[in-house]
Amino acid sequence: MKYQVVIGLEVHTQLTTATKIFCGCSTRFGAQPNSQTCPVCLGFPGALPVLNQKVVEYAIRAGLATNCTIAERSVFARKNYFYPDLPKGYQISQFDLPICVNGHLDIDLEGGGTKRIGITRIHMEEDAGKLVHADIPGVGDDSCVDLNRACTPLLEVVSEPDMRSPDEAIAYLKKLHQIVVYLGICDGNLEEGSFRCDANVSLMPVGSNVFGTRAELKNINSFRFIKQAIEYEIERQAEILDEGGRVIQETRLFDPSTGTTRSMRGKEEAHDYRYFPDPDLVPVIVSPSWVDEVRQSLPELPDAKRERFVKEMGLPEYDAEILTSTRELAEYFDATVALFPQAKTVSNWVMGEVSRALNEDGKNVTECPVTPELLAALLKLIEKGTISGKIAKTVFDEMYKTGKEPEKIVEEKGLVQVSDTGAIEAIIDEILAREAGQVAEYRSGKDKLFGFFVGQVMRASKGKANPAVVNDLLLKKLAP
Amino acid sequence: MKITRAEVEHVARLARLELSEPELDTFTSQMDSILAYVEKLNGLNTDDIVPTSHAVPMENAFRADQPKGSLPVEEATANAPEHAESFFRVPKVIE
Amino acid sequence: MELHELTLNELHGKLKQKEISSVEATKALLARIDAVDPRVNAYITVRHDGALKAAADADARIARGEIAPLTGIPVGLKDIFVTKGVKTTCGSKILENFVPPYDGTAVAKLKAQGAVLLGKLNQDEFAMGSSSESSYFGTTKNPWDLECTPGGSSGGSAAAIAAQTATATLGTDTGGSIRQPASHCSCVGLKPTYGRVSRYGVIAYASSLDQVGPVTRDVTDAAIMLGAVAGYDPMDSTSVETPVPDYLASLEQGVKGLKIGLPKEYFIEGLDPDVKKAMDEAIATYRALGAEIKEVSLPHTEYAVATYYLVATAEASSNLARYDGVRFGHRTAEAKGLIDMFAKSRAEGFGAEVKRRIMLGTYALSSGYYDAYYLKAQKVRTLIRQDFTNALSEVDVLLTPVAPTPAFKLGEKVADPLQMYLSDIFTIPVNLAGTCGISLPAGFSAAGLPIGVQLIGRPFGEDAILQAARAFERETEWHKRKAAL
């Protein structure tokens, strides 16, 4: 390919505040249309916005987690345009004085190493409502407006055009997604539109450092679609450039059903948003002490967690990566290790049995019936030799189903491991007598039959025989 | 001329105001004389002047993140020229 | 004295003494409205039943011994105030049928005291005008001369006081909209400091300039009304937490030793001789009362009108974008698609002056012109504000004319918007500076039209200008004259 792609991303994250950014209506998703509205978010005459303080706090959190400078003074501005889902005829946003500037995120590259992606700014703004084509008799072609989402708080995170491949774009988005979810400021739900992405894509000849004309891709609501949209756009622009044409600056809509983008020209007139400071709102002043307070309250972020898991707990990179993929999983792991300080064993269980059971059940780790306390108790039973690792899996399944303590399950089901050499010897003797032929083969050099004998003994003991003891005794008895 | 008829037409489009031909003529000449009048501001040097957006200095007006009841949906839509169930109803966008 | 002639304070005294009931007073005012309002057209909406019911509630409250200053007082509100369940038009066709689901803060405060809402008063459409002629519901006439305008935009508020069809009223003032009609109708009109009264539930014209204030028969009534509506409101981010003083407490303290400044830029050529005469007499009165008179300068006065018409129209163009025919208000019957629906609904719903200001404001904010017009105006506004800070550090209050001329004839300035705008030259700077000003009756022209003078105070110095206004009122009889209707 003779072109280098240049990608910048604008991400809208919907904040998990209880109420909207400028009024006291609930932000709950999925309510009856227009049932979560009031004079303010309906843009009724005379109504005035008042800023939700939590939105500012969340913006500071996001800014600190992405290495931004928090502006001491930021200002809300009106972005003026007409659309039926925009009640006031303007969106309250921030323009020349956003709350966070000059940040960055480091992303991991496919072939190893990291790359720093600049974050130009993060600003606070209100969301628009929804324009839908409801299937209501008699409505025909008309559109229907639901303003429940209008005035919901958003943070718009604008990156520098620092990404050079769709994979880098995805890595950046996943990282940002992980951070806002970790921070507890966004639920990260892509399908419900809690994390939305617009991509600015342009091409320039390889070796050049002069950016080409960009297209802005809108309406992308999954990581997979983002990749598709960018890839399609690279192809489209390359074709134009190959034919000696010029890419025009425009907004293009991604169509998930075809995997293509199409121009939105004609749909909207040339935009002139006529930004100006909103006279209904006052400047937001963030003192250094407020920033410090928020900094103190930040949770440990994924990168720091991962490093701690590797350096302090001695976990492999792979484990650390998986365990920190969500804040909840990492917290589950941490809580278990606190009670049973053998990190690798806990990691194996969390990544193994715990994740498998949750996956099968479609549950989140916070809903896991086997709490960190119960899991630690189970691991202690293995450590003490009360049950074998194999039996422990059976016990785990039972715990997951019933939420009962492992000791109780072991007792009720009689699963205590048998380590008594006399009892095990008796079983071994019986098997060796029954399988005389196999014994002879083993003794004549067919070593791999050893596993067969172990299996027979374990089966006969219903899995309760201590495998170490079985091994020892078998070796002795089978010795020629 | 401070403003042309074509510019007035453009502004009317931005402001979503359908103006008649006579209105366009009248507004062009009236806006022209008003803009000529406001030209006098350019006689003032304002290079180092901080713009005023609030006459009385003010900052940090917040509300707590506590729910306050919404309007009953019938009241929210009661003034709507047209609604369908609890939606506001509008003509579709013609491309 | 007829019940409809009483001041708020006089009526309060009679209600408190149980000499009369609120129902009696309200009936008297409603009868007066029925008798004279067809000629004055101060009201857009009259609430016959609602007012009587509220009056009966007030009487019950008084019977329980719970009387507040406004309990049982029949008041009128400019139709810019959002009133729950009562049609609120803002003088516009676009809101012809708008019945709000909520009360604004000032309205809620009046209701909480048990005031009786007689109805909604006429005004220039969206408060854009100086003559009340831009109302969709017909022009209001000046009770002193039915051929003349009452001024505007709160023309209905001032006319109702002059016509004695309300005991007290509230208006709003963005560039003189309380003070100028008060001057033209011989009322007291107070524009408080920006942030003093909540704007929540007041339909926005220019958000950084709009302010709620009383139009009343005398200064005491203005002090009572301001006391009732002033104060911090968590629903308005631009309302200020400065405590509200007891305006009545200091009202009678006189002006001895008070330093009164006369801004030289306000004594211009072209000032009507009758206005000039009233000013000279007011100066003499204050001097006789022991005030110290001093010339001061507000050097950027000549830029105020230009600044105002950029700032106010820019904000208005955005504030009025919400009238799109989707959630409330007029919608055209013949739209081809969405954009057409917007453009036609707005074209049909707004009158000429509103359209003109939306156009001007849209232009001032548009790409390529923002710096030259809007930003420039906001910078000049800083200079104008500094003028007032400087002048008001030399003197305690400023004394100026309210309008260059007495009330003009209906139709006289409709064709020339710029001439109309220039008539606000003495009131606009106060809004740009964000401080307070009061208009009070100070004489009559040879033709018998009222003339007011204006006192301008420091930010949140409403008590000082009320006190100075009251001292003048005590010495003069102008406020006692009644329009013959």
Side-chain angles (χ1 to χ4, degrees):
Chain A
M1 174 109 167
K2 54 186 191 272
Y3 301 111
Q4 172 63 60
V5 64
V6 175
I7 304 163
L9 297 172
E10 291 169 15
V11 174
H12 289 89
T13 62
Q14 193 176 306
L15 301 181
T16 50
T17 52
T19 64
K20 296 184 178 183
I21 180 168
F22 297 122
C23 68
C25 287
S26 165
T27 53
R28 195 166 52 94
F29 183 82
Q32 182 197 4
N34 296 309
S35 64
Q36 286 171 187
T37 60
C38 74
V40 177
C41 58
L42 288 169
F44 267 35
L48 295 171
V50 183
L51 179 59
N52 182 342
Q53 184 161 12
K54 193 137 230 169
V55 174
V56 182
E57 188 194 313
Y58 282 10
I60 299 171
R61 273 196 217 177
L64 291 174
T66 53
N67 312 292
C68 285
T69 304
I70 310 301
E72 201 183 310
R73 180 174 181 274
S74 73
V75 168
F76 282 96
R78 293 184 184 178
K79 178 180 183 178
N80 294 284
Y81 67 96
F82 286 88
Y83 212 63
D85 64 5
L86 188 69
K88 298 182 293 297
Y90 57 84
Q91 178 193 26
I92 303 176
S93 181
Q94 295 192 301
F95 184 52
D96 51 351
L97 296 167
I99 185 155
C100 309
V101 292
N102 292 333
H104 64 259
L105 283 183
D106 292 331
I107 57 168
D108 295 319
L109 296 177
E110 202 79 338
T114 63
K115 175 173 175 176
R116 179 155 292 187
I117 307 297
I119 289 175
T120 317
R121 58 185 280 157
I122 301 176
H123 68 251
M124 303 175 275
E125 63 183 25
E126 59 178 339
D127 207 344
K130 276 182 187 161
L131 196 59
V132 296
H133 295 274
D135 195 13
I136 299 172
V139 167
D141 261 358
D142 281 6
S143 304
C144 291
V145 185
D146 173 9
L147 297 176
N148 282 346
R149 197 183 67 181
C151 209
T152 297
L154 298 176
L155 288 184
E156 180 173 339
V157 183
V158 182
S159 85
E160 291 287 309
D162 285 348
M163 286 149 280
R164 294 290 176 272
S165 72
D167 285 333
E168 286 184 16
I170 301 293
Y172 165 83
L173 282 173
K174 286 195 167 161
K175 183 115 194 185
L176 183 61
H177 182 264
Q178 191 186 38
I179 287 175
V180 294
V181 173
Y182 253 81
L183 291 172
I185 64 174
C186 174
D187 68 17
N189 190 323
L190 279 83
E191 272 168 33
E192 288 177 8
S194 304
F195 190 90
R196 313 196 285 267
C197 176
D198 298 341
N200 290 312
V201 179
S202 67
L203 298 185
M204 61 183 177
V206 168
S208 165
N209 51 17
V210 181
F211 293 169
T213 307
R214 65 193 158 90
E216 188 183 0
L217 313 182
K218 281 196 179 290
N219 191 34
I220 326 179
N221 64 358
S222 85
F223 292 128
R224 189 164 58 91
F225 290 159
I226 285 158
K227 190 165 168 146
Q228 265 186 31
I230 295 173
E231 278 169 353
Y232 174 82
E233 194 56 25
I234 293 172
E235 238 174 82
R236 186 187 72 87
Q237 293 186 18
E239 220 166 275
I240 295 174
L241 296 174
D242 282 345
E243 286 163 7
R246 281 177 46 217
V247 173
I248 42 173
Q249 188 167 336
E250 61 178 349
T251 302
R252 298 181 67 85
L253 209 60
F254 176 70
D255 182 350
S257 65
T258 59
T260 62
T261 67
R262 65 188 159 82
S263 175
M264 284 176 71
R265 257 174 315 144
K267 254 192 140 174
E268 22 184 326
E269 289 182 58
H271 275 308
D272 182 349
Y273 291 125
R274 291 160 281 137
Y275 280 101
F276 74 106
D278 191 331
D280 288 334
L281 290 160
V282 296
V284 176
I285 308 295
V286 180
S287 65
S289 66
W290 192 2
V291 175
D292 278 346
E293 206 177 291
V294 176
R295 199 192 306 273
Q296 301 304 324
S297 75
L298 285 186
E300 189 183 24
L301 290 172
D303 280 357
K305 258 196 206 312
R306 208 166 61 181
E307 200 180 306
R308 179 166 61 84
F309 287 180
V310 173
K311 289 209 174 129
E312 289 177 25
M313 297 188 171
L315 290 185
E317 281 280 356
Y318 175 79
D319 291 33
E321 177 82 38
I322 290 185
L323 291 173
T324 55
S325 63
T326 72
R327 180 175 164 180
E328 290 82 5
L329 191 64
E331 283 175 351
Y332 182 93
F333 169 77
D334 260 334
T336 312
V337 171
L339 299 167
F340 186 78
Q342 293 179 30
K344 181 59 189 159
T345 308
V346 175
S347 167
N348 289 345
W349 273 82
V350 172
M351 289 166 42
E353 293 310 295
V354 175
S355 297
R356 176 192 54 78
L358 290 170
N359 270 342
E360 283 171 5
D361 211 10
K363 271 192 176 151
N364 190 287
V365 67
T366 52
E367 309 162 300
C368 185
V370 181
T371 60
E373 290 73 26
L374 292 175
L375 180 60
L378 177 67
L379 300 183
K380 278 178 193 160
L381 289 183
I382 305 172
E383 193 190 29
K384 276 195 291 185
T386 312
I387 53 172
S388 67
K390 187 153 190 271
I391 289 288
K393 293 186 180 175
T394 315
V395 177
F396 179 87
D397 286 341
E398 193 61 24
M399 287 163 77
Y400 192 91
K401 260 185 260 164
T402 62
K404 280 188 191 162
E405 284 159 8
E407 295 86 350
K408 198 165 271 172
I409 294 169
V410 168
E411 199 189 298
E412 278 174 13
K413 305 226 160 187
L415 296 174
V416 179
Q417 179 165 265
V418 178
S419 302
D420 171 24
T421 44
I424 295 173
E425 247 185 298
I427 297 172
I428 291 176
D429 288 344
E430 195 187 317
I431 286 166
L432 296 190
R434 195 176 72 208
E435 306 287 353
Q438 308 276 22
V439 174
E441 274 187 53
Y442 176 83
R443 287 189 175 140
S444 67
K446 213 166 171 189
D447 284 354
K448 58 182 180 183
L449 276 171
F450 188 75
F452 164 77
F453 293 116
V454 174
Q456 291 293 317
V457 175
M458 293 309 287
R459 186 181 301 163
S461 75
K462 300 204 172 76
K464 288 188 284 183
N466 183 330
V469 177
V470 172
N471 270 355
D472 275 1
L473 290 175
L474 267 176
L475 278 173
K476 269 185 218 152
K477 299 237 171 204
L478 285 168
Chain B
M1 285 285 276
K2 300 298 300 176
I3 190 166
T4 64
R5 197 174 188 278
E7 284 176 300
V8 173
E9 278 181 71
H10 170 70
V11 172
R13 261 196 308 279
L14 276 180
R16 294 286 188 266
L17 281 174
E18 186 178 272
L19 297 184
S20 65
E21 294 297 314
E23 274 179 317
L24 281 170
D25 291 335
T26 314
F27 284 158
T28 304
S29 87
Q30 287 174 338
M31 285 173 73
D32 193 58
S33 63
I34 295 166
L35 291 171
Y37 174 76
V38 304
E39 193 67 20
K40 70 188 312 172
L41 297 187
N42 291 328
L44 279 175
N45 183 342
T46 52
D47 288 352
D48 300 320
I49 308 294
V50 179
T52 292
S53 42
H54 295 100
V56 176
M58 26 183 82
E59 60 182 49
N60 283 6
F62 297 127
R63 40 171 284 272
D65 185 27
Q66 275 157 8
K68 236 181 97 180
S70 297
L71 286 174
V73 75
E74 313 74 53
E75 286 186 33
T77 52
N79 281 285
E82 283 192 66
H83 60 97
E85 292 176 359
S86 73
F87 289 103
F88 299 105
R89 180 176 166 180
V90 294
K92 77 166 194 170
V93 181
I94 295 178
E95 295 193 33
Chain C
M1 187 106 96
E2 303 274 353
L3 287 180
H4 58 76
E5 293 178 60
L6 297 175
T7 67
L8 189 171
N9 197 36
E10 288 164 348
L11 181 55
H12 172 70
K14 291 186 189 298
L15 290 169
K16 197 172 180 180
Q17 297 305 320
K18 303 199 171 82
E19 282 175 43
I20 55 165
S21 69
S22 174
V23 168
E24 287 171 293
T26 302
K27 277 184 177 161
L29 266 305
L30 287 169
R32 175 74 178 172
I33 292 171
D34 293 341
V36 305
D37 201 58
R39 280 179 282 155
V40 177
N41 196 31
Y43 280 88
I44 292 174
T45 302
V46 181
R47 295 174 72 231
H48 286 94
D49 296 343
L52 285 171
K53 193 185 165 300
D57 290 347
D59 284 333
R61 193 170 153 167
I62 295 167
R64 291 197 301 272
E66 297 166 13
I67 189 164
L70 292 177
T71 309
I73 305 292
V75 299
L77 297 176
K78 185 178 184 180
D79 212 12
I80 204 166
F81 290 91
V82 170
T83 44
K84 184 173 182 172
V86 177
K87 192 176 69 166
T88 300
T89 68
C90 214
S92 183
K93 178 182 176 183
I94 213 158
L95 288 177
E96 192 175 1
N97 300 308
F98 178 58
V99 181
Y102 78 107
D103 273 328
T105 301
V107 176
K109 285 187 168 191
L110 296 184
K111 280 192 179 175
Q113 284 207 18
V116 173
L117 176 55
L118 290 169
K120 305 296 290 293
L121 296 162
N122 205 356
Q123 57 166 100
D124 279 298
E125 184 180 7
F126 285 101
M128 298 179 187
S130 313
S131 66
S132 300
E133 291 167 293
S134 71
S135 171
Y136 175 68
F137 302 93
T139 187
T140 298
K141 293 171 187 103
N142 191 322
W144 295 88
D145 179 348
L146 296 172
E147 310 263 286
C148 286
T149 92
S153 67
S154 309
S157 303
I161 293 299
Q164 298 148 23
T165 51
T167 303
T169 65
L170 284 183
T172 61
D173 190 316
T174 305
S177 281
I178 285 174
R179 291 160 290 157
Q180 185 253 24
S183 170
H184 286 351
C185 294
S186 202
C187 314
V188 172
L190 172 63
K191 187 216 90 88
T193 308
Y194 186 77
R196 177 75 292 179
V197 183
S198 171
R199 295 184 296 113
Y200 187 74
V202 178
I203 298 180
Y205 157 25
S207 313
S208 76
L209 301 162
D210 296 342
Q211 192 50 204
V212 171
V215 183
T216 55
R217 298 210 199 301
D218 66 16
V219 176
T220 306
D221 285 4
I224 295 170
M225 287 293 277
L226 178 63
V229 295
Y232 170 71
D233 177 12
M235 298 295 281
D236 176 0
S237 311
T238 63
S239 80
V240 174
E241 292 203 68
T242 309
V244 180
D246 179 351
Y247 296 113
L248 289 177
S250 54
L251 203 56
E252 305 293 340
Q253 285 174 8
V255 291
K256 205 167 177 57
L258 187 79
K259 284 189 202 143
I260 299 179
L262 305 175
K264 62 178 183 198
E265 292 80 5
Y266 283 47
F267 295 87
I268 47 168
E269 265 177 73
L271 192 63
D272 181 279
D274 288 330
V275 174
K276 173 88 173 54
K277 184 163 158 278
M279 270 304 296
D280 289 342
E281 286 174 14
I283 295 166
T285 303
Y286 274 116
R287 196 169 271 140
L289 286 170
E292 197 183 307
I293 308 288
K294 191 180 164 186
E295 187 182 90
V296 294
S297 174
L298 298 169
H300 297 95
T301 301
E302 65 165 307
Y303 302 103
V305 172
T307 302
Y308 174 84
Y309 277 93
L310 292 170
V311 173
T313 59
E315 292 179 6
S317 71
S318 175
N319 284 334
L320 271 63
R322 68 189 60 198
Y323 305 99
D324 58 5
V326 176
R327 287 143 290 123
F328 47 78
H330 175 77
R331 181 188 288 189
T332 183
E334 42 189 321
K336 294 179 216 63
L338 182 71
I339 292 174
D340 196 47
M341 187 279 275
F342 285 155
K344 279 207 171 75
S345 299
R346 290 165 61 77
E348 292 167 8
F350 291 135
E353 183 59 31
V354 172
K355 287 182 194 170
R356 186 155 42 239
R357 294 196 195 190
I358 290 174
M359 292 289 290
L360 193 58
T362 303
Y363 182 71
L365 289 176
S366 66
S367 168
Y369 298 101
Y370 180 86
D371 287 2
Y373 290 114
Y374 184 73
L375 189 62
K376 180 80 186 182
Q378 292 287 57
K379 287 181 170 182
V380 178
R381 188 173 177 187
T382 304
L383 297 173
I384 292 168
R385 229 177 89 200
Q386 284 167 359
D387 282 357
F388 279 88
T389 308
N390 295 340
L392 288 165
S393 65
E394 282 179 58
V395 294
D396 300 310
V397 299
L398 303 174
L399 176 64
T400 77
V402 179
T405 64
F408 44 90
K409 294 270 188 237
L410 291 166
E412 192 180 310
K413 295 186 183 178
V414 171
D416 190 347
L418 189 53
Q419 274 314 305
M420 184 82 94
Y421 298 172
L422 288 169
S423 70
D424 296 332
I425 176 73
F426 302 137
T427 47
I428 277 175
V430 177
N431 299 80
L432 290 170
T435 194
C436 56
I438 189 169
S439 168
L440 59 156
F444 286 84
S445 71
L449 288 168
I451 295 169
V453 295
Q454 171 174 240
L455 289 164
I456 300 167
R458 298 183 185 127
F460 301 100
E462 286 80 6
D463 45 356
I465 56 173
L466 283 164
Q467 185 181 325
R470 175 61 189 142
F472 180 84
E473 187 181 73
R474 258 193 327 239
E475 288 302 304
T476 55
E477 298 286 317
W478 308 117
H479 64 288
K480 292 184 179 159
R481 283 207 203 173
K482 308 252 183 288
L485 265 173

